């Protein structure tokens, strides 16, 4: 069995008689999306859909720009994970420039930048966006379910969350030039290294950061242990998984090859070169979302969809190459009792293991004198296209560019982490809706169960809406008082 499937496209035959409930917008996620539920006369859930209703169009307007502008431009996809797009684009354009092997300083500065991004993003998501649900309960008072409520009830937990994110942002500032939308990575390398004083300033804090990261893992484990029936069953479904793994099979956020497993943990594909990703992955479009639906080409859209991100990565790799995180990974694997863990709420446990690994990796890098080297850029034989793949906080991120003889981008394809998780998120909210909402009077607390399932994936909806698909794009022109004076609707 490759994975469960639910056909979300075809509404029930009697859809006109069903009651429609909308959660709009989905809260405590990056970007804008909504969920619609169709209920019959008995309150039974007949259909659930996650709609991504904002449109970005990056794949189109990047065309015609000089390739060296792209790493700075594409990170405007997002203010939460700009470093991931910055580096994926730079890696793709390394190949265009012929820089197939970076200098040690360039690679290590980029890795430090990226692991700082993993640290700050995981801290932001867990402590600020998800911990209110986990600490207070999914149906607790809505006004309390926020970081302010956490700070009041659990001040030390909130403090650690803020400081962990602050440290990750400082790593980004020193490597990229700014905390958000920096310029540190360029095709062929980087434009700066770290001096001794900068490294020492980070080293002064990193040991506390590692300790707080360990405490975060222990917090998640305590939450699981307190209610294992909930954490193991909430929105759970089976699917394939996909991620990068390092050349030796270890967890690697920055580089490696693609590996996929089926729902039972058997390896489907291994050692797959990233430059050939189009032979492995196809993308399906559907008329009710601006977000595409990727799947493994060999299995087709019915059975080939998959999960990405922390839950996939910690189970897809053979080991984590830092000792504290590896010990936690082994405990996580043992929790599955020989099977893959498919529960969406387990994303939080895996995410904190990855945050600990990022902290350990940053500590090791800060002791490496290559970070302060002076040889920053390399090049080689110019090529017409390049693919860059990186493990962003939310999962596998693919950037693919073709560049013409005038150094202008002629085509661009992006498959972002949340796009990979599109079908899994829809599956999770369907399971939750049928388990918790069917036949009940809908309350804010019950509807928040749907949002809890979505937030487990840490979606970045802004990143995911880069392409049009087949959903119509409606444009309205309004006058100064808000009256619509013209309207155009166009299908792609």
């Amino acid at each position: 069995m490759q994975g469960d499937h639910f056909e979300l496209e075809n509404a029930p035959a009697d859809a006109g008689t069903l009651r429609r409930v909308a959660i709009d917008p989905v809260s405590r996620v990056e970007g804008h999306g909504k969920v619609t539920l169709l209920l019959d006369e008995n309150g039974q859930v007949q259909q659930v859909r996650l709609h991504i209703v904002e449109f970005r169009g990056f794949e189109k307007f990047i065309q015609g720009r000089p390739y060296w502008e792209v790493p700075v431009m594409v990170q405007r996809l997002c203010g939460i994970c700009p470093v991931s797009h910055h580096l994926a684009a730079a890696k793709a354009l390394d190949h265009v420039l012929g820089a197939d092997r970076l200098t040690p300083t360039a690679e290590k500065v980029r890795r430090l930048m990226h692991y700082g991004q993993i640290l700050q993003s995981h801290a932001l998501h867990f402590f600020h966006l998800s911990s209110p649900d986990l600490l207070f309960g999914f149906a607790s008072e809505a006004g309390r379910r926020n970081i302010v409520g956490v700070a009041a009830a659990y001040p030390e937990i909130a403090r650690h969350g803020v400081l962990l994110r602050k440290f990750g942002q400082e790593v980004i500032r020193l490597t990229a030039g700014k905390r958000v939308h920096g310029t540190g990575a360029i095709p062929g390398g980087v434009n700066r290294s770290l001096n001794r004083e900068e490294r020492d300033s980070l080293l002064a804090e990193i040991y506390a950061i590692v300790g707080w990261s360990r405490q975060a893992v222990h917090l998640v484990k305590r939450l699981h242990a307190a209610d294992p029936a909930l954490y193991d069953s909430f929105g759970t479904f089976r699917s394939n998984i996909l991620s990068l793994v390092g050349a030796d099979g270890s967890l690697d956020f920055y580089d490696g090859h693609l590996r996929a497993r089926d729902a039972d943990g058997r390896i489907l594909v291994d050692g797959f070169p990233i430059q050939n990703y189009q032979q492995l992955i196809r993308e399906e479009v559907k008329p009710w979302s601006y977000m595409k639906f990727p799947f493994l080409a060999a299995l087709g859209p019915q059975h080939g969809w998959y999960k990405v991100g922390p839950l996939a990565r910690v189970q897809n790799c053979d080991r984590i190459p830092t000792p504290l995180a590896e010990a936690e990974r082994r405990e996580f694997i043992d929790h599955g009792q020989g099977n893959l863990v498919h529960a969406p709420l387990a994303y939080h446990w895996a995410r904190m293991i990855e945050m600990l690994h990022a902290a350990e990796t940053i500590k090791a890098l800060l002791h490496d004198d290559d970070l302060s080297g002076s040889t920053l850029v390399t090049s080689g034989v110019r090529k017409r296209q390049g693919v860059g793949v990186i493990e962003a906080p939310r999962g596998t991120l693919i950037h693919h560019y073709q560049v013409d003889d005038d150094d202008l981008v002629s085509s661009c394809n992006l498959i972002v982490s949340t796009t990979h998780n599109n079908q899994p998120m829809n599956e999770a909210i369907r399971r939750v809706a049928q388990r918790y909402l069917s036949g009940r009077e809908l309350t804010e607390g019950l509807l928040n169960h749907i949002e809890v399932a979505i937030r487990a994936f840490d979606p970045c909806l802004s990143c995911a809406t880069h392409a049009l698909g087949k959903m119509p794009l409606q444009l309205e022109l309004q006058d100064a008082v808000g009256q619509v004076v013209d309207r155009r609707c166009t299908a792609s």
Side-chain angles (χ1 to χ4, degrees), residues 252-324:
D252 195 324
F253 297 134
Y254 180 75
D255 204 10
H257 57 256
L258 292 168
R259 175 186 286 177
R261 295 180 188 265
D262 68 14
D264 294 318
R266 293 184 292 264
I267 291 179
L268 297 169
V269 177
D270 199 8
F272 199 91
I274 61 175
Q275 300 296 318
N276 299 334
Y277 79 97
Q278 289 179 311
Q279 299 174 22
L280 179 65
I281 298 169
R282 297 282 187 273
E283 296 177 89
E284 186 180 24
V285 293
K286 299 187 180 183
W288 44 269
S289 177
Y290 287 134
M291 191 157 62
K292 294 187 283 189
F293 291 76
F295 59 92
L296 299 174
L299 300 180
Q302 289 280 327
H303 302 291
W305 53 275
Y306 48 83
K307 290 189 286 281
V308 299
L311 187 60
R313 289 188 294 238
V314 300
Q315 299 184 95
N316 205 16
C317 66
D318 299 329
R319 64 184 183 90
I320 295 179
T322 55
L324 298 178

Side-chain angles (χ1 to χ4, degrees), residues 221-487:
K221 289 194 296 186
R222 289 198 302 273
L223 291 169
H224 273 254
D227 196 348
L230 171 67
Y231 277 80
D232 290 338
S233 65
F234 184 82
T236 299
F237 61 93
R238 291 160 51 82
S239 76
N240 308 302
I241 61 174
L242 173 79
S243 73
L244 282 179
V245 296
D248 61 352
S250 64
L251 179 67
D252 195 324
F253 297 134
Y254 180 75
D255 204 10
H257 57 256
L258 292 168
R259 175 186 286 177
R261 295 180 188 265
D262 68 14
D264 294 318
R266 293 184 292 264
I267 291 179
L268 297 169
V269 177
D270 199 8
F272 199 91
I274 61 175
Q275 300 296 318
N276 299 334
Y277 79 97
Q278 289 179 311
Q279 299 174 22
L280 179 65
I281 298 169
R282 297 282 187 273
E283 296 177 89
E284 186 180 24
V285 293
K286 299 187 180 183
W288 44 269
S289 177
Y290 287 134
M291 191 157 62
K292 294 187 283 189
F293 291 76
F295 59 92
L296 299 174
L299 300 180
Q302 289 280 327
H303 302 291
W305 53 275
Y306 48 83
K307 290 189 286 281
V308 299
L311 187 60
R313 289 188 294 238
V314 300
Q315 299 184 95
N316 205 16
C317 66
D318 299 329
R319 64 184 183 90
I320 295 179
T322 55
L324 298 178
E326 171 61 7
E328 297 294 348
R329 184 194 72 88
R330 289 180 177 274
E331 186 173 340
F332 181 87
I333 297 299
D334 289 343
H335 180 73
Q337 299 180 343
N339 300 307
L340 288 186
V341 177
H342 288 291
L345 289 180
Y347 263 98
H348 299 301
W349 186 352
R351 190 172 287 116
M352 292 301 93
I353 293 173
E354 289 191 341
M355 188 174 74
L356 174 59
H357 169 54
E360 290 184 278
T361 301
I362 290 169
K363 183 180 75 171
L365 284 168
L366 290 174
H367 285 95
D368 193 324
D369 288 337
D370 281 340
L371 281 181
S372 301
S374 58
T375 307
L376 307 182
V377 181
T378 188
S379 62
V381 178
R382 173 77 154 72
K383 300 181 179 69
R384 295 294 296 272
Q385 67 175 330
V387 177
V389 181
I390 204 165
E391 282 296 331
R394 293 152 183 84
T396 311
L397 172 64
I398 301 172
H399 280 229
H400 181 192
Y401 303 98
Q402 294 184 353
V403 180
D404 63 24
D405 291 333
D406 295 326
D407 291 343
L408 303 180
V409 175
S410 57
S411 73
C412 166
N413 185 47
L414 310 176
I415 308 180
V416 306
S417 312
T418 300
T419 303
H420 292 292
N421 273 336
N422 191 1
Q423 183 71 22
M425 286 191 294
N426 275 284
E427 292 289 332
I429 63 174
R430 178 177 71 93
R431 301 299 177 101
V432 169
Q434 292 179 338
R435 167 65 178 83
Y436 292 94
L437 274 61
S438 280
R440 300 186 181 185
E441 180 182 351
L442 298 185
T443 64
E444 187 279 334
L446 282 177
L447 290 174
N448 186 53
H449 284 61
I450 298 287
E451 298 191 62
V452 169
I454 295 170
R455 281 192 286 269
F457 292 87
D458 187 17
C460 182
L461 305 181
S462 296
C463 291
T465 55
H466 58 86
L468 184 57
K470 292 183 177 180
M471 187 176 179
L473 179 64
Q474 181 171 296
L475 305 176
E476 289 185 351
L477 176 64
Q478 298 182 0
D479 62 19
V481 296
Q483 296 295 315
V484 176
V485 297
D486 196 8
R487 179 182 287 113

